[in-house]
Amino acid sequence: MKLAASEAFKKLKLKHYQQAKVTTTKFYQTKPFFSMPEQIEKESGVLAPKRVNQVDLFKRYTYEVLPALEQSVELDLLEKVFQKVDPIVRESITQAYVRKQVEQLAQQPDPASIKDLDDNTKSNMPREKAKLFLQNWLDLNPIQIGKWIPLNYELFKKTFKFLSPGDFQKNLIELSKNFSLMMTDEGFKTIDYVDSSKRIPQIFEYKKLSKDNFHKEGYFIIMFNVLKGDFNDELRKHRNNELFQRVFATSVNFDALLTVILNHWELIQQLRTPEQRKEFFKSLVDQLLEKIDKQQPNASMPELLFSTVKTLQFKDFTLDLTKYVNNPFPVPKSLIENRFGEQYYGYSSNLLFYGDHGAGKSGVLMQAIMFAQQTGWIVAVVPSGYNWTSLKYEAKRHHKTGLYMQPKAAQEWLEQFKEANQEHLKTFQVDLSLYGKFNLSGVHDDDPDPCPNLYDERREYHFKDFEKFTTKEERDFEEAQDQIMSARITLKIPKPQYLQEIIDYGISNAHYATNAVYEVMEQLYNTEKYKVLVAVDGINWFYRPSQLPSFRYESDKNLRGHVPPYHMSLPRLFMHFDGHKIKNGTKITASSIFKLFQHDFQPKHVLLPQKYGIKLNGAPLDMFRSFCEYGIQTGMWKCDEFSQNTLEQFWMETQGNYFEAIKCMKVHWRDI
C-alpha cells in the first residue's frame, strides 16, 4: 500500500513538473529556474535543468509578460463596454488608451539590452525630455492629469499682487523661474466642481427634463444651483433671526433640504417658473420657522433638523423628512463616482482640502483659481488666513460693535482683488438695493449683535463684564471715537454706478477699507450676471485664537487674553463655510499647517461634517515622476539623470510630499 502511494505521488510530482516546464518555456523561452529532486530525476529519466538566475527571469517577466497580459485585459474590458458608453466618453477612453500605449512603448527598453541591477543604477543613454506641458488645458480632459499647465509670471503677478496661497511664490516660482501648475486628479475634479456650479435658470423650462431623467447627474447639479439662489433670496428676509441664521450658517442643512426636494418629481413640477419657486420657498421657510423649537438648539445637523421638522406640506404633497434621517444626502450615484467618491457630498456649495504640510492643498486651490480666472469668473482670494490673525497688521477696535478692524489688510485685499478682476469691475453695476447696509466694521443693519453679552455659567461672569475695569480716560476716548466710527462709505459714495468706484475709494481711504470689502462681497454673493469663486487658504487659522492681545478675553480660558477671529472684521467675513449663499458660484477652502508642528487638522474640529472635506496625502508615484521631471527641465532640481529605481526610492522617502521633495531638490545637486 505504501509503495503504491509513493509511486502515485512521484507520478503527480512529475506531471506538475512537466506542466511547469511547458508554461515556463512558453513565457520565457528558457529553462525553468527550479531543480528536480535527484531521486525523481533518476526514476523519470528526465534530466534536471540547470538553475537560472531568478533576477534575469523576473526582468524578462516584467518587460515581456506583464505588458502582454495588461494589454489583453484592457482590450477585453474595452470591447465589453466600448459600445455602451457616451460618444464623448468613448473618445476620451480611446485617447487615454493610445497615450498609455505610446508612453509604455517609448519607455520599454530592449530586453536584450537589460543589464544586471548593479549596472542599471545610471543609464549610459542620454535621457529624452518628456513632454510635460499642455497646450489647451481649459478644454478639460482626464488625459491631462499628470501634465503641467503652462502659465506666465505676468499672469501670476496680476492675480496675486501681494501674496499667493501656499509656498508657490517662495518655492516653485523663485526656483524654477517659471509659473506652471501640475494638473492633479484632485485638481481636475475641483475644476469640474467649480465649472458646474454655474446658475442656469432655464433648466426648469427644458422640454427634455422628465420624470425619467430628472435624477441624472447633469440635471441634478443645474437644478440645485438654481434652487440655492431662490432659497437664499427668501432666507435673506430673515437675516435678523439669530436661530435661523445659525441653522443655515453653513451649507450642511441647506444642501440636505434641497437634495431631498430634488428627489421628488412631484415637487420639481411645482418649480417650473420663478413665481412658483418664490411661492414654494416662502412656504418652506415659514414652515421651518414654525417648527424649529427656539428652546431646543438641536437643528444644527440634517439628521437633527429632519427629526425636529418631520414633515413639510406643499399644496397637496407631503414631504416626509423622517425617511431621510439616516441618508440626508440622496444624490445621484454617478455624481458621487465622478467627484470625490463616498468621502464627499458637498457637491456644489463648499469644498475643504486638508492634510499635512506639503500635501498639495494650496496647489489644488491654485488650479481652481487660475481656471476660474482664465474662463471669465470673478475670483475673490484670501491667500493666507494666518496673516490676518497674526500681528502683521495693526488693529483698531470699533467701540459700538466690539469688532477689531485691520485697515491696511483690507486695503491690500481690495488692491489685489482689483488687479485680478479689472476686466469685470468696470462693467459690474452695483445693486443699490443691497448697498449701504453695512457699518464701518462690516456689521449689517439686520444682523444680530456680533459680540453678544454671553453668560458663562461655570465661571459665573458675562462677557461684557470687562467694562467694569475700563478707566474714565478709556471711556472718554471711545465716546470721542463714536462719531468717527459711525461714518459709512455711503456718506462718501451715495450712489455708485460700478463696483470699481467702491474699491477705489476703499484703497485710497484706509478708514473705509473694511466697509468697502463688506460692500463688495455682498454684491458678489448676490450677482446673477457674473460667476464668482471665493477661495480661502489657511481657513483653519480663523478657528484658533489670534495673536492680537486684549484684556477683554482674559476670563476665557480658551482664549487666554487673545482676540478670537470671529471678533475681527476680515476673518469674520470669510471664515464661514457659506458657499451655498453665493447665488452664481461656489467657495473652496484649504487648511494650512504653517508654523504648526505635527498638527492634525480635521473638518470636525470646526464643526463641519467630515464628508465636506477632502484629505490630500501628497502625489502618487506617477505624478511624482512628472513633478521630478518638471524640476529637472526648469532647473529647479540640479540633476541631469536619474534611474527608475532611485526615483521610486526618492518617492518613498518623501511619501510624495511636495514640500519635502522641494527641500531635497534645493540641496541635491549630484546626479542620482
Side-chain angles (χ1 to χ4, degrees):
M1 180 65 71
K2 290 183 180 180
L3 182 61
S6 176
E7 290 296 325
F9 179 74
K10 290 178 182 178
K11 290 181 180 180
L12 183 61
K13 272 193 171 184
L14 179 61
K15 179 181 178 181
H16 282 292
Y17 165 74
Q18 291 173 339
Q19 290 177 350
K21 180 179 178 181
V22 171
T23 305
T24 308
T25 304
K26 179 180 178 181
F27 279 141
Y28 303 110
Q29 299 299 316
T30 187
K31 298 177 181 179
F33 61 83
F34 52 83
S35 299
M36 287 193 307
E38 183 178 355
Q39 185 178 0
I40 298 181
E41 178 182 350
K42 291 180 179 180
E43 295 179 358
S44 63
V46 180
L47 295 178
K50 296 181 179 180
R51 186 179 298 274
V52 180
N53 191 327
Q54 298 185 27
V55 174
D56 291 340
L57 289 177
F58 183 74
K59 288 180 183 178
R60 288 178 176 272
Y61 177 79
T62 302
Y63 289 111
E64 296 178 18
V65 181
L66 277 184
L69 291 175
E70 289 178 357
Q71 186 177 22
S72 175
V73 172
E74 289 171 355
L75 288 175
D76 185 56
L77 178 63
L78 284 175
E79 186 177 357
K80 290 181 180 179
V81 303
F82 199 66
Q83 301 301 327
K84 299 180 181 180
V85 298
D86 185 84
I88 298 178
V89 179
R90 188 186 310 166
E91 179 65 21
S92 297
I93 293 174
T94 303
Q95 293 180 16
Y97 178 76
V98 171
R99 173 189 168 195
K100 180 178 179 181
Q101 293 301 312
V102 170
E103 290 182 353
Q104 187 181 56
L105 184 62
Q107 296 173 4
Q108 181 175 332
D110 183 2
S113 66
I114 299 177
K115 301 180 180 180
D116 293 337
L117 287 175
D118 294 338
D119 298 331
N120 197 38
T121 55
K122 184 186 294 186
S123 174
N124 295 323
M125 298 294 293
R127 182 173 54 83
E128 182 180 355
K129 291 185 178 181
K131 295 181 180 179
L132 292 178
F133 296 95
L134 297 167
Q135 297 298 322
N136 186 17
W137 72 280
L138 297 177
D139 184 16
L140 297 180
N141 194 308
I143 66 173
Q144 297 173 345
I145 296 174
K147 298 294 185 180
W148 285 78
I149 303 167
L151 301 167
N152 60 73
Y153 187 56
E154 293 301 321
L155 177 64
F156 177 84
K157 290 193 296 184
K158 175 185 175 182
T159 310
F160 308 105
K161 184 173 183 179
F162 296 103
L163 187 66
S164 66
D167 296 322
F168 273 90
Q169 190 168 8
K170 183 174 64 177
N171 289 328
L172 284 182
I173 294 178
E174 291 183 1
L175 291 174
S176 65
K177 308 302 180 185
N178 182 44
F179 177 41
S180 301
L181 298 171
M182 185 171 68
M183 179 69 78
T184 62
D185 183 48
E186 293 82 5
F188 179 84
K189 292 178 179 178
T190 303
I191 290 175
D192 178 57
Y193 160 89
V194 170
D195 190 47
S196 64
S197 62
K198 296 174 291 190
R199 177 179 169 86
I200 308 176
Q202 296 80 5
I203 182 63
F204 288 100
E205 302 172 7
Y206 191 49
K207 294 181 180 179
K208 292 185 179 180
L209 181 64
S210 65
K211 188 175 181 179
D212 297 328
N213 62 19
F214 78 96
H215 58 278
K216 289 188 176 180
E217 173 188 347
Y219 292 138
F220 180 89
I221 295 178
I222 297 175
M223 289 190 294
F224 181 93
N225 292 329
V226 174
L227 294 185
K228 79 173 184 179
D230 298 322
F231 195 1
N232 274 312
D233 288 341
E234 191 62 35
L235 288 177
R236 197 178 302 112
K237 300 176 183 177
H238 304 274
R239 190 165 186 159
N240 59 350
N241 187 316
E242 187 174 353
L243 173 66
F244 210 53
Q245 288 301 316
R246 186 164 65 247
V247 170
F248 294 104
T250 63
S251 57
V252 185
N253 288 330
F254 187 95
D255 291 354
L257 273 173
L258 289 188
T259 303
V260 171
I261 290 171
L262 288 174
N263 272 269
H264 296 274
W265 176 247
E266 298 84 352
L267 292 178
I268 293 176
Q269 288 180 304
Q270 301 181 30
L271 306 173
R272 291 283 187 177
T273 66
E275 293 75 18
Q276 287 178 322
R277 294 195 292 272
K278 184 176 180 180
E279 179 185 358
F280 175 85
F281 284 111
K282 184 181 184 306
S283 173
L284 171 64
V285 171
D286 290 342
Q287 292 182 66
L288 291 175
L289 285 170
E290 180 183 348
K291 294 188 177 184
I292 295 178
D293 189 354
K294 296 182 179 180
Q295 303 300 324
Q296 186 181 8
N298 67 341
S300 59
M301 298 299 289
E303 298 84 352
L304 302 176
L305 176 64
F306 291 175
S307 300
T308 302
V309 178
K310 295 184 179 178
T311 60
L312 293 170
Q313 187 70 36
F314 304 103
K315 295 183 179 179
D316 57 347
F317 182 82
T318 301
L319 178 59
D320 187 1
L321 296 178
T322 58
K323 295 181 179 179
Y324 299 94
V325 170
N326 296 325
N327 181 26
F329 294 92
V331 301
K333 291 184 178 180
S334 58
L335 180 60
I336 296 175
E337 295 169 355
N338 294 337
R339 284 291 171 85
F340 297 96
E342 294 288 348
Q343 61 174 327
Y344 175 74
Y345 55 44
Y347 36 83
S348 190
S349 54
N350 283 292
L351 182 56
L352 167 66
F353 290 102
Y354 65 101
D356 295 334
H357 183 47
K361 306 180 294 297
S362 300
V364 173
L365 214 63
M366 288 281 283
Q367 292 174 54
I369 292 170
M370 298 314 301
F371 172 83
Q373 208 243 16
Q374 294 286 287
T375 52
W377 289 58
I378 293 180
V379 181
V381 182
V382 178
S384 173
Y386 171 78
N387 283 355
W388 283 0
T389 58
S390 66
L391 297 176
K392 181 178 180 179
Y393 300 102
E394 181 185 358
K396 297 180 180 179
R397 185 173 181 269
H398 191 278
H399 171 61
K400 187 175 181 180
T401 62
L403 297 180
Y404 289 79
M405 302 179 295
Q406 298 163 298
K408 180 62 177 176
Q411 281 183 305
E412 286 188 4
W413 186 90
L414 288 170
E415 197 169 344
Q416 181 160 302
F417 176 77
K418 176 186 175 181
E419 191 72 21
N421 302 281
Q422 284 182 349
E423 295 80 3
H424 304 296
L425 299 180
K426 295 178 181 178
T427 58
F428 192 118
Q429 293 187 338
V430 176
D431 184 351
L432 294 178
S433 66
L434 301 171
Y435 178 67
K437 303 270 176 62
F438 292 93
N439 67 15
L440 201 65
S441 64
V443 177
H444 194 277
D445 292 339
D446 295 331
D447 281 348
D449 185 359
C451 302
N453 191 23
L454 301 176
Y455 181 71
D456 188 330
E457 295 182 357
R458 189 173 64 85
R459 295 203 169 194
E460 298 182 349
Y461 83 100
H462 288 86
F463 167 66
K464 294 187 178 180
D465 283 351
F466 64 80
E467 295 176 352
K468 301 175 183 178
F469 304 97
T470 56
T471 64
K472 184 178 183 302
E473 290 77 9
E474 289 174 325
R475 290 193 293 271
D476 292 342
F477 176 78
E478 289 177 344
E479 289 176 4
Q481 291 288 311
D482 275 351
Q483 186 175 358
I484 301 174
M485 293 293 187
S486 62
R488 297 190 180 198
I489 199 171
T490 49
L491 297 176
K492 305 297 181 180
I493 315 176
K495 294 183 179 181
Q497 184 177 0
Y498 298 108
L499 197 62
Q500 185 164 331
E501 298 176 38
I502 303 174
I503 296 172
D504 288 340
Y505 194 83
I507 293 173
S508 58
N509 296 273
H511 187 65
Y512 296 95
T514 303
N515 194 178
V517 173
Y518 271 83
E519 293 288 1
V520 167
M521 294 305 297
E522 182 74 1
Q523 297 290 330
L524 295 181
Y525 266 60
N526 293 283
T527 181
E528 290 191 45
K529 181 179 179 180
Y530 297 93
K531 299 168 290 185
V532 178
L533 172 66
V534 179
V536 182
D537 195 20
I539 195 171
N540 56 309
W541 288 98
F542 295 159
Y543 292 86
R544 301 170 60 88
S546 73
Q547 297 179 23
L548 185 65
S550 175
F551 76 95
R552 297 172 179 85
Y553 302 92
E554 286 289 353
S555 298
D556 192 321
K557 71 170 187 176
N558 295 318
L559 298 176
R560 301 289 184 184
H562 291 87
V563 180
Y566 53 81
H567 284 179
M568 302 173 70
S569 293
L570 288 179
R572 180 175 177 267
L573 175 60
F574 291 95
M575 70 184 298
H576 298 295
F577 295 94
D578 58 354
H580 61 291
K581 296 182 180 180
I582 303 175
K583 201 165 191 177
N584 189 14
T586 188
K587 185 174 186 176
I588 55 177
T589 59
S591 65
S592 172
I593 316 300
F594 179 65
K595 292 190 176 181
L596 294 175
F597 180 67
Q598 292 186 347
H599 180 69
D600 181 25
F601 172 80
Q602 301 283 340
K604 62 184 179 182
H605 295 162
V606 294
L607 302 181
L608 190 70
Q610 197 75 14
K611 287 193 175 183
Y612 267 81
I614 303 297
K615 185 174 183 180
L616 300 183
N617 298 300
L621 181 57
D622 287 340
M623 290 186 187
F624 193 75
R625 291 191 183 99
S626 177
F627 184 77
C628 292
E629 182 68 29
Y630 174 81
I632 293 174
Q633 290 191 19
T634 58
M636 184 173 67
W637 191 13
K638 304 301 181 182
C639 169
D640 295 329
E641 300 175 1
F642 58 85
S643 68
Q644 181 64 25
N645 296 330
T646 310
L647 181 63
E648 292 176 359
Q649 180 182 350
F650 187 29
W651 175 79
M652 181 188 67
E653 291 172 351
T654 61
Q655 291 296 294
N657 187 284
Y658 298 104
F659 180 73
E660 296 297 327
I662 290 175
K663 282 201 305 184
C664 293
M665 289 178 178
K666 285 181 178 179
V667 297
H668 209 150
W669 289 73
R670 65 184 179 85
D671 297 344
I672 59 174

